[in-house]
């Protein structure tokens, strides 16, 4: 089993309306699903990128003035109910 994949699937609200989605880098996604910033290595971010591309069916798009590669992802699940 793949812990990064299962965390991304279970901690983001994939049922949410697309109007609630936002652009995030793979590292930002890892942070919002509970990985401490100091634990996010390049290889962990690469793994998350692979999972996000697979789940969303889209490659990352360059966003912002720095051209960060970002994925269009749903909001995080809130405890007990979804938004």
């Amino acid at each position: 089993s793949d812990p990064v994949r299962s965390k991304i699937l279970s901690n983001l609200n994939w049922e949410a309306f697309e109007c609630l989605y936002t652009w995030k880098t793979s590292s930002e996604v890892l942070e919002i699903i509970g990985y401490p910033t100091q634990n996010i290595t390049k290889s962990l971010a690469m793994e998350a990128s692979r999972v996000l591309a697979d789940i969303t069916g889209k490659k990352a798009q360059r966003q912002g003035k720095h051209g960060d590669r970002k994925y269009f992802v749903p909001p995080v699940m809130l405890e007990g109910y979804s938004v």
Side-chain angles (χ1 to χ4, degrees), residues 8 12-14 16-26 28-30 32-33 48 51-53 55-56 58 70-76:
I8 288 174
L12 294 180
N13 183 4
W14 295 97
F17 290 113
E18 210 164 86
C19 62
L20 297 172
Y21 281 39
T22 52
W23 291 99
K24 297 207 177 307
T25 65
S26 56
E28 289 168 341
V29 169
L30 288 168
I32 64 169
I33 64 172
V51 170
L52 288 165
I55 295 169
T56 61
K58 299 185 178 94
K70 297 196 175 189
Y71 295 88
F72 200 45
V73 295
V76 75

Side-chain angles (χ1 to χ4, degrees), residues 3-4 10-11 14 20 23 33 45-46 49 56 62 64 66 73 75:
V4 173
S10 61
N11 287 282
W14 295 97
L20 297 172
W23 291 99
I33 64 172
M46 293 292 288
S49 293
T56 61
R62 291 197 177 274
H66 301 298
V73 295

